[in-house]
Amino acid sequence: MVKVDEILPKYWYNIIPDLPKPLPPPRDPQEAEFSRIDLLRRILPKEVLRQQFTIERYIKIPEEVRDRYISIGRPTPLFRAKRLEEMLDTPARIYFKFEGATPTGSHKINTAIPQAYFAKDEGIEHLVTETGAGQWGTAVALAASMYNMKSTIFMVKVSYEQKPMRRSIMQLYGANVYASPTNFTEYGRKILEANPNHPGSLGIAMSEAIEYALKNEFRYLVGSVLDVVILHQSIIGQETIAQLDMIGEEADLVIGCVGGGSNFGGFSYPFIGHKRASKYIAVGSAEIPKFSKGEYRYDFPDSAGLLPLVKMITLGKDYVPPPIYAGGLRYHGVAPTLSLLMKEGIVEWREYNEKEIFEAAKLFMQAQGIVPAPESAHAIKAVIDEALAAKKMKEKKVIVFNLSGHGLLDLSNYESMMKRWAKNGQ
Amino acid sequence: MGNKLLVVYMTLGYPNVEQFMEFITESARYADVFELGIPPKYAKYDGPVIRKSYDRVKGIQVWNILGETRKKVDIPIIALTYLDDWISQLDLFLDNLKGIGIDGVLFPDLLIDYVDDFEKYDKIIKSKGIKDVIFTSPSVPDNLIQKASKITDIFLYYGIRPTTGIPIPVSTRQLISRVRNLVQSRLIVGFGLSNELDLREALSSRADGVAIGTIFIEEIDKNGIKSALEVVKKIRGILDEY
């Protein structure tokens, strides 16, 4: 029997020292009424902040964190998508890492656990964050309860009303979930005064969460984009490499979808840093065309403009994304390390539209049975394209991708996709 | 004096020209190098304290004060300013520095915003007889640290925090020991060294010296020039223990 220790790593992997060029540092805006970098210092757990600015290649995972990783079912399984290969009639071998196997249904829990642990370790009893669709809030709610802490989640009001199941999960984990804008913060009260029926936004929810954490001396947790989040997610790629080694496979192609970049980074960076594959493909949504239309420049990582500016590929913090089916991909930017790797040509990109990913998701479900998160279905579409290309070239490529989450809580999205296309006669 | 270098940073003309001159002439007894900040259009990589100091001296006679300072002190003077601000008239800027006897220049944005062309700019700076002090940080990859340490003049500046003056928790020892063996020139550590412990950790990790600025400005604001000079003296004392 394979032991957990042979797969679950003891260290997080940090790609920064292995980047081809220096990572441009975060900075404060020109006319800053306050320092965003200093704000980070006041809201993040100390160790999280230290890890954000570290250059060490390997950082030890505390035993207390590894224990929790094990108790949520890590290492997650690596499957061979044999039936998908058959349906595509491809000589390529396709493997996928299934992050949907965690209790919260996505990779988000991988960073929520250590962030909660480091907060607890410095004597904090209460965690705060914001959530849009709910994946991140769910992960924080569970992580808090795993360390006997309280949590408060500011959930964008429109999601709070439209995604009652996500809200219920967080509440069952013991979180206080509020529809943002709320009356608990000055910022929220101001918004409500102007418009009592304000539907809320991620920026507003985040501003409320930060204000609430600051005022009460709680700690605020960040779900994506920051280097420290990708650092924690590096367990995905490291586990995958260990699992491939066990079956004697070497990856040629590594594929993942990109919201902010944390699942893609966590999955692919260990491959990139250790040169364990030859091609990397980041997949986004054609409806949020940040790869094809984004600019590489300094921008706020959050629409509220409360975090320091970082250099990244961005559509602009004020970009209003269309209300697409894959909420996790609606983010306006690409994590700074991933932006740099894309600029340097190390990571390639693809963008697919709703119809394409819907077909891919359906095919994958019929082949493998798993309902993929609509975000992850973008990666699947790229995998299918690459497998068909391999068929044409008669190449026995090994394709490995990250199935970052399951889609069982996104069935209403799939339902509306089906209806939409039926109407269009497709 | 011991072997460790004390690089004293001060914003040019802060808090006013008269007191600035007093601070510089007095602290020259303890400092090895002066680093004088010319107020930039956008202090991209500076923290809130230094930014505020720039705001307060906006509109000063940069060249006059630099010239006066040169006449008053003998130790090397490095002008700290952003390449962004001077790139369109770089030759003129460097000629002016040379003309009044400023020793070197440090552009914190050189390896960040101009990384693809930094060797070209290094050549231009040196061709004007000005020393090029290169700024690096932990996110600079090994090979680039090595390259920079070979071409930098006077010392290699290594800023261990993402910005000046904010005590972001970092592993000072690890950050320094990583680059120590890559760097052949003198290694000066700065950015956010704000307490004695941090300072001592930097020195015992084989840094050749430290660059300090924010604490002097904070001390001037709180207790005035005399008290800030006491802090310079105290830091000199700590350096001399190593």
Side-chain angles (χ1 to χ4, degrees):
Chain A
M1 204 179 116
V2 174
K3 291 200 184 96
V4 164
D5 268 356
E6 291 170 45
I7 303 175
L8 182 64
K10 295 192 168 66
Y11 293 85
W12 287 301
Y13 167 70
N14 181 12
I15 198 164
I16 294 174
D18 292 326
L19 289 174
K21 279 193 182 156
L23 184 67
R27 68 192 195 198
D28 278 319
Q30 188 159 7
E31 302 297 338
E33 57 291 359
F34 65 94
S35 166
R36 271 85 178 161
I37 296 175
D38 195 45
L39 178 68
L40 281 187
R41 187 174 68 87
R42 294 190 291 154
I43 57 176
L44 299 186
K46 251 199 201 92
E47 184 59 20
V48 173
L49 193 61
R50 199 188 65 75
Q51 291 178 356
Q52 166 68 19
F53 293 114
T54 191
I55 192 67
E56 292 153 77
R57 208 171 255 112
Y58 294 100
I59 294 174
K60 195 163 174 27
I61 304 173
E63 272 314 306
E64 294 87 339
V65 171
R66 281 188 97 239
D67 282 351
R68 297 299 189 273
Y69 279 160
I70 291 165
S71 66
I72 58 160
R74 298 213 75 88
T76 52
L78 179 75
F79 287 90
R80 178 161 176 191
K82 195 91 202 267
R83 168 95 181 107
L84 182 65
E85 292 168 18
E86 286 166 17
M87 285 173 82
L88 297 172
D89 188 25
T90 175
R93 294 194 292 284
I94 302 172
Y95 294 89
F96 65 94
K97 181 73 167 163
F98 188 38
E99 288 299 295
T102 65
T104 59
S106 82
H107 63 290
K108 293 281 182 187
I109 189 71
N110 300 334
T111 183
I113 288 176
Q115 290 191 51
Y117 168 74
F118 292 129
K120 177 84 176 178
D121 199 44
E122 61 183 85
I124 302 296
E125 292 297 336
H126 199 131
L127 303 175
V128 189
T129 199
E130 77 287 328
T131 197
Q135 279 94 338
W136 174 236
T138 308
V140 172
L142 175 58
S145 100
M146 291 181 96
Y147 290 108
N148 300 315
M149 300 165 89
K150 294 198 176 83
S151 62
T152 297
I153 317 289
F154 289 86
M155 187 172 187
V156 178
K157 193 178 182 180
V158 57
S159 306
Y160 184 91
E161 284 159 1
Q162 286 173 6
K163 306 227 168 196
M165 285 191 289
R166 277 282 175 199
R167 188 214 313 161
S168 304
I169 298 174
M170 290 186 266
Q171 287 166 335
L172 287 165
Y173 282 142
N176 303 314
V177 186
Y178 299 124
S180 163
T182 71
N183 272 316
F184 303 121
T185 67
E186 238 172 80
Y187 193 78
R189 283 192 292 273
K190 228 171 26 192
I191 302 270
L192 287 176
E193 260 167 45
N195 176 8
N197 297 315
H198 198 292
S201 71
L202 207 54
I204 294 171
M206 180 173 185
S207 302
E208 285 207 278
I210 289 177
E211 183 188 326
Y212 192 75
L214 263 178
K215 200 173 71 192
N216 295 292
E217 294 185 14
F218 299 153
R219 287 295 176 274
Y220 171 79
L221 302 195
V222 187
S224 189
V225 187
L226 290 192
D227 304 321
V228 61
V229 175
I230 303 182
L231 175 84
H232 296 156
Q233 295 292 356
S234 69
I235 54 174
I236 307 173
Q238 294 188 80
E239 281 180 11
T240 309
I241 289 174
Q243 289 165 320
L244 287 171
D245 284 347
M246 280 175 174
I247 52 170
E249 281 284 27
E250 279 290 336
D252 294 304
L253 248 91
V254 171
I255 297 175
C257 66
V258 176
S262 80
N263 100 71
F264 183 85
F267 180 58
S268 67
Y269 289 1
F271 285 92
I272 295 173
H274 299 106
K275 304 197 167 50
R276 292 295 301 264
S278 48
K279 191 166 155 183
Y280 305 91
I281 302 175
V283 191
S285 143
E287 285 83 357
I288 319 286
K290 53 190 173 193
F291 298 148
S292 53
K293 305 259 163 58
E295 295 168 40
Y296 187 46
R297 62 173 169 90
Y298 271 94
D299 192 15
F300 287 107
D302 59 306
S303 55
L306 291 170
L307 297 179
L309 295 164
V310 291
K311 194 166 184 185
M312 63 176 179
I313 295 170
T314 176
L315 289 165
K317 85 167 172 67
D318 297 323
Y319 173 78
V320 181
I324 60 163
Y325 45 90
L329 303 190
R330 297 178 74 220
Y331 183 65
H332 66 274
V334 178
T337 45
L338 180 53
S339 293
L340 192 147
L341 287 165
M342 294 179 85
K343 271 285 150 202
E344 293 297 310
I346 294 168
V347 175
E348 297 178 19
W349 58 266
R350 307 275 188 276
E351 284 173 348
Y352 297 112
N353 65 32
E354 181 177 83
K355 178 177 183 252
E356 292 171 309
I357 72 103
F358 177 69
E359 295 300 335
K362 232 165 51 177
L363 183 68
F364 183 76
M365 279 174 70
Q366 288 163 15
Q368 301 298 138
I370 295 173
V371 185
E375 290 84 352
S376 317
H378 288 72
I380 294 171
K381 169 62 181 158
V383 169
I384 293 172
D385 283 1
E386 291 296 325
L388 292 175
K391 177 181 173 182
K392 221 183 210 168
M393 308 296 291
K394 298 196 171 60
E395 286 176 321
K396 289 186 175 175
K397 283 212 165 114
V398 175
I399 303 173
V400 188
F401 76 99
N402 192 26
L403 191 64
S404 53
H406 72 63
L408 287 171
L409 289 166
D410 301 291
L411 288 175
S412 58
N413 292 356
Y414 279 119
E415 196 181 36
S416 79
M417 282 187 234
M418 281 192 277
K419 277 186 197 150
R420 192 153 44 246
W421 295 322
K423 225 186 293 171
N424 295 345
Q426 285 172 337
Chain B
M1 277 192 202
N3 294 322
K4 300 285 190 187
L5 292 189
L6 174 57
V7 179
V8 169
Y9 168 89
M10 188 45 63
T11 296
L12 195 70
Y14 191 82
N16 53 53
V17 178
E18 193 185 323
Q19 291 191 315
F20 168 80
M21 285 300 173
E22 184 187 343
F23 179 82
I24 292 297
T25 39
E26 290 297 314
S27 60
R29 290 157 56 197
Y30 310 109
D32 297 291
V33 178
F34 279 125
E35 192 192 340
L36 302 180
I38 299 175
K41 290 196 187 92
Y42 176 9
K44 287 190 257 190
Y45 306 115
D46 282 295
V49 174
I50 289 182
R51 282 185 176 204
K52 231 193 278 162
S53 76
Y54 283 142
D55 285 344
R56 267 184 64 177
V57 300
K58 240 180 213 160
I60 50 157
Q61 304 286 321
V62 169
W63 298 105
N64 274 349
I65 306 172
L66 271 179
E68 282 307 302
T69 316
R70 177 70 291 172
K71 285 182 205 152
K72 293 248 167 73
V73 296
D74 297 332
I75 62 173
I77 296 177
I78 298 165
L80 183 146
T81 182
Y82 287 80
L83 181 54
D84 255 359
D85 285 6
W86 304 103
I87 197 153
S88 60
Q89 39 175 332
L90 189 58
D91 284 350
L92 181 66
F93 173 70
L94 296 167
D95 286 340
N96 282 346
L97 288 180
K98 185 70 189 167
I100 55 173
I102 298 300
D103 300 271
V105 69
L106 187 155
F107 292 124
D109 51 349
L110 183 65
L111 273 198
I112 300 171
D113 300 316
Y114 299 94
V115 62
D116 292 327
D117 296 317
F118 81 97
E119 284 159 310
K120 177 182 106 189
Y121 290 111
D122 174 70
K123 284 200 184 98
I124 297 175
I125 294 164
K126 286 178 172 144
S127 74
K128 295 286 181 179
I130 294 289
K131 293 194 177 359
D132 182 20
V133 182
I134 296 185
F135 173 83
T136 60
S137 68
S139 64
V140 177
D142 289 7
N143 63 355
L144 202 49
I145 296 251
Q146 273 171 319
K147 241 191 223 170
S149 97
K150 277 185 198 141
I151 62 173
T152 193
D153 294 314
I154 313 180
F155 56 78
L156 184 76
Y157 193 122
Y158 183 54
I160 57 169
R161 286 187 175 77
T163 187
T164 55
I166 298 178
I168 297 279
V170 295
S171 321
T172 305
R173 198 174 295 279
Q174 277 98 317
L175 292 180
I176 297 173
S177 55
R178 170 191 157 233
V179 296
R180 180 63 275 186
N181 296 327
L182 304 172
V183 175
Q184 294 154 1
S185 55
R186 287 191 287 193
L187 177 69
I188 297 296
V189 173
F191 266 47
L193 293 176
S194 61
N195 59 52
E196 197 176 321
L197 192 77
D198 221 17
L199 197 67
R200 287 186 184 278
E201 210 168 297
L203 293 167
S204 65
S205 310
R206 298 192 294 139
D208 296 309
V210 292
I212 310 271
T214 300
I215 11 185
F216 302 143
I217 292 175
E218 280 176 333
E219 195 59 30
I220 289 175
D221 293 348
K222 253 187 265 164
N223 302 309
I225 291 289
K226 294 268 184 286
S227 181
L229 285 167
E230 282 305 310
V231 179
V232 181
K233 189 174 159 189
K234 187 179 160 210
I235 291 174
R236 176 80 257 168
I238 295 172
L239 261 70
D240 290 344
E241 290 174 32
Y242 291 84

